[in-house]
Amino acid sequence: MRELDTGSWFAPSFAGERIVTLIEFAELYVPHIPVCLEIKDPLAVEPLMETIRSWDVIASMHVTSFSWTALLHATRVHPHPALGSLSTTFDRDVIQRCVGRGLDQICPPVNLLERRRVDEAHNSGLVVRAWGVRERRDVDLLFATGADGATINWPEWILDRR
């Protein structure tokens, strides 16, 4: 897999990019910035948690997933990083499910953010970190609704808002 070109599909300027291993990624970024990793497969929970513990950076790590199975398994590993549910909905029910299962974050799509719902999540003790930011106006919505952050491919858009 390391031989595959993982960038050409995105843009010609990314041609020749290779897959970065978790260890390579960690060496580059974990000592310098908070990092969010997404669990795609519940079978990855245990090895990922073990790796994170070995880095001794749990306080600066966030782990998210669309998989309730993965998240529930991760809550049973101690200590564990901040855990967040990547959700396709953003309503009272999903907020309460996150709280009831001991998660730290709810991560809805940016287009579903509403100030009252963000406030409800905050009042329930959750951090709100959105995903799906594709346009600059999505960043405006983050700020207008009081969301705590977002997964974003263009961090300069956030800096432009200052």
Side-chain angles (χ1 to χ4, degrees), residues 138-160:
D138 295 334
V139 173
D140 295 336
L141 190 57
L142 291 171
F143 281 88
T145 60
D148 299 292
T151 301
I152 184 168
N153 292 339
W154 304 275
E156 67 274 12
W157 291 0
I158 300 288
L159 296 174
D160 291 349

Side-chain angles (χ1 to χ4, degrees), residues 30-107:
V30 170
H32 309 290
I33 60 171
V35 171
C36 181
L37 301 174
E38 180 183 343
I39 298 173
K40 301 283 191 180
D41 185 327
L43 295 175
V45 171
E46 196 62 43
L48 178 62
M49 293 298 148
E50 180 129 341
T51 302
I52 290 171
R53 281 196 306 267
S54 74
W55 296 335
D56 196 29
V57 292
I58 287 178
S60 65
M61 297 294 299
H62 305 268
V63 172
T64 61
S65 185
F66 283 102
S67 167
W68 281 102
T69 301
L71 291 169
L72 294 177
H73 184 61
T75 64
R76 293 189 292 271
V77 176
H78 292 287
H80 60 72
L83 299 172
S85 173
L86 289 163
S87 177
T88 57
T89 62
F90 191 38
D91 57 26
R92 180 169 286 124
D93 179 57
V94 75
I95 289 170
Q96 292 311 309
R97 279 189 282 143
C98 289
V99 170
R101 286 161 175 84
L103 300 183
D104 307 288
Q105 301 177 3
I106 184 165
C107 308

